[in-house]
Amino acid sequence: EVQLVQSGAEVKKPGESLKISCKGSGYSFTSYWIGWVRQMPGKGLEWMGIIYPGDSDTRYSPSFQGQVTISADKSISTAYLQWSSLKASDTAMYYCVMDFGVWGQGTLVTVSS
Amino acid sequence: DVVMTQSPLSLPVTLGQPASISCRSSQSLVYSDGNTYLNWFQQRPGQSPRRLIYKVSNRDSGVPDRFSGSGSGTDFTLKISRVEAEDVGVYYCMQGTHWPWTFGQGTKVEIK
């Protein structure tokens, strides 16, 4: 079964760093791009960026360029989304997606002092 | 960025009746390879989004045939032939032709 399994919910303080993960299984991890989508509370879906694990080619949506870092470790079939300094406005559900059709279960990130 | 505009944003429907959602893009979604990368997603309450339709009119595996997609260029439509209770949720169109990819605002489907 093709699936993406994301890391668990996080509660952080403003200014802290965070790295969440998305592990792929059941398919060739290096052959399909993985993207990250943000959904703020009660709001719609926004593409943050994508990575092609085969060569680590990465693209960011202009709204998220410089705000987050997307990476992947193909040796363990895992993609990452990280922040160096969280803000309260980063509070959201974050989904990883493979080739549009396979979605992770989501990671809820809460940033509050 | 390509702006995806959905209408209506709220759609109360009667069980067993048809429903239709419109999606318009601010520019053509025809890619250089001739394909049109327009997808439709369903997000049920408390769940991850699920793709229903890809490349305008192709249903994903396991998607009931009451769902259909149509359109071309900048105008697209998702139709549900007979709404069932399990269809309640928010529906999003999304273009994968121009980076950054973009979603519509979402259409909330509820039962009257």
Side-chain angles (χ1 to χ4, degrees):
Chain A
E1 180 193 5
V2 177
Q3 60 178 349
L4 298 174
V5 178
Q6 298 185 230
S7 49
E10 301 274 1
V11 179
K12 292 288 191 180
K13 290 182 169 33
E16 291 186 332
S17 62
L18 176 64
K19 191 174 189 177
I20 62 175
S21 66
C22 168
K23 183 173 176 60
S25 61
Y27 72 99
S28 173
F29 185 75
T30 54
S31 299
Y32 298 89
W33 58 262
I34 287 184
W36 288 93
V37 172
R38 182 176 78 174
Q39 187 168 39
M40 299 177 78
K43 302 298 184 183
L45 304 169
E46 305 170 87
W47 281 103
M48 302 176 71
I50 58 172
I51 186 165
Y52 188 75
D55 59 8
S56 293
D57 184 28
T58 309
R59 290 188 184 183
Y60 294 93
S61 173
S63 301
F64 294 93
Q65 179 84 48
Q67 308 305 307
V68 296
T69 301
I70 293 171
S71 60
D73 184 341
K74 57 188 178 184
S75 69
I76 54 172
S77 301
T78 301
Y80 301 97
L81 176 65
Q82 68 181 84
W83 296 259
S84 58
S85 180
L86 287 160
K87 311 181 194 68
S89 57
D90 292 317
T91 294
M93 182 72 83
Y94 293 89
Y95 295 100
C96 61
V97 190
M98 187 272 282
D99 200 31
F100 300 129
V102 181
W103 290 65
Q105 82 277 21
T107 296
L108 180 62
V109 174
T110 303
V111 184
S112 173
S113 54
Chain B
D1 297 4
V2 175
V3 177
M4 305 296 288
T5 303
Q6 290 182 228
S7 63
L9 298 185
S10 178
L11 184 56
V13 294
T14 301
L15 287 173
Q17 292 301 301
S20 180
I21 301 170
S22 170
C23 175
R24 289 192 169 143
S25 58
S26 59
Q27 56 185 278
S28 174
L29 300 186
V30 180
Y31 191 56
S32 54
D33 63 4
N35 288 309
T36 300
Y37 293 98
L38 187 284
N39 302 286
W40 288 96
F41 294 87
Q42 173 196 62
Q43 188 175 29
R44 292 171 171 150
Q47 295 187 14
S48 299
R50 163 200 183 196
R51 191 178 64 181
L52 301 174
I53 303 284
Y54 62 95
K55 287 194 281 187
V56 181
S57 59
N58 297 276
R59 262 191 312 276
D60 272 274
S61 175
V63 174
D65 60 8
R66 64 178 180 275
F67 290 93
S68 64
S70 63
S72 63
T74 60
D75 283 333
F76 305 94
T77 302
L78 176 71
K79 291 184 178 174
I80 310 174
S81 59
R82 294 172 305 280
V83 172
E84 298 190 6
E86 66 178 18
D87 299 337
V88 165
V90 181
Y91 291 77
Y92 297 92
C93 61
M94 183 234 121
Q95 65 84 17
T97 297
H98 305 283
W99 183 258
W101 302 331
T102 45
F103 289 96
Q105 318 97 298
T107 295
K108 187 172 184 178
V109 172
E110 57 184 11
I111 305 301
K112 277 185 189 173

